[in-house]
Amino acid sequence: LKSAFVLVTDMCMATHLDSVPSAQGVASAELHSRFVELAQLRAHAHDESDFSLLGRFCKIAGFSEEHIDEPGIKLMLKSLKMLRLCDFAGEELRVMLAHAVVYARATLAACGPLMSSCEAAHTAVLLIYLAQCYTQDETCPMRIWHQHLFRGYCAAKDLDAVVMKLMSFQGWTKWCSSMDADPQTSCLVRPSS
């Protein structure tokens, strides 16, 4: 069972990621600029809130303009569609993405400038997988993620090696224990008053 601290921080961050339920109601300033430029890709979202949710995730995580492109957005949307088809609710997705923001920041600090847009998108999806593993009691297994999202990108054994590398950027833990505080993510690391 999750501690009360984890539940409170999960809910706090989830609120920042998706405080506006309608995808059309999200202001452009809240989204990564590439999501604003590629707004036509909203049609690829399984749920109307997925596009804005990912746009916020990419902005808060700190992905650069060069990291986000059309195929990458489609891949990330496909990952949320897969999770929704596995019966994860919107609130659970927001919690996963809140944790993935922290993981992404550590990863981008370690190797962000070296990543191509393709690598950045696949890394973002893999970080969502790691967040899912940490935040959910029942998960969609890695083999399913590989089959539907990574099969054309890398072999399963290579994906396992990348997971280990990403975990090393987190200090071998998936617990979000430290990060640069800002209004959107500081509630992940501070206990509530």
Side-chain angles (χ1 to χ4, degrees), residues 42-108:
R42 185 182 306 275
H44 292 271
H46 182 72
D47 183 89
E48 71 174 32
S49 66
D50 290 353
F51 187 82
S52 60
L53 184 59
L54 283 171
R56 288 178 175 191
F57 162 73
C58 289
K59 181 175 182 169
I60 295 168
F63 285 97
S64 72
E65 298 293 311
E66 294 76 27
H67 287 146
I68 307 298
D69 63 5
E70 183 172 334
I73 291 173
K74 287 180 179 178
L75 177 70
M76 289 185 278
L77 286 169
K78 190 174 177 183
S79 72
L80 291 191
K81 177 180 179 178
M82 184 186 73
L83 288 168
R84 287 190 184 277
L85 292 174
C86 290
D87 290 327
F88 289 104
E91 182 176 316
E92 292 169 310
L93 296 181
R94 290 188 298 274
V95 169
M96 288 178 215
L97 290 177
H99 285 265
V101 162
V102 178
Y103 307 159
R105 287 181 171 175
T107 302
L108 291 171

Side-chain angles (χ1 to χ4, degrees), residues 1-11 13 83 88 91-103 125-142 145 163 167 170-178 187-189:
L1 294 176
K2 291 183 179 182
S3 69
F5 170 72
V6 173
L7 290 174
V8 169
T9 57
D10 286 351
M11 292 183 333
M13 183 57 198
L83 288 168
F88 289 104
E91 182 176 316
E92 292 169 310
L93 296 181
R94 290 188 298 274
V95 169
M96 288 178 215
L97 290 177
H99 285 265
V101 162
V102 178
Y103 307 159
V125 170
L126 200 49
L127 294 171
I128 295 168
Y129 164 77
L130 288 173
Q132 175 228 205
C133 291
Y134 180 73
T135 62
Q136 303 301 307
D137 291 331
E138 293 184 30
T139 63
C140 181
M142 172 65 86
W145 286 74
V163 166
M167 295 266 313
Q170 311 309 317
W172 298 101
T173 181
K174 290 183 277 182
W175 170 250
C176 301
S177 61
S178 66
C187 61
L188 272 175
V189 294

Side-chain angles (χ1 to χ4, degrees), residues 106-118:
T107 302
L108 291 171
C111 58
L114 305 174
M115 285 189 203
S116 67
S117 58
C118 182

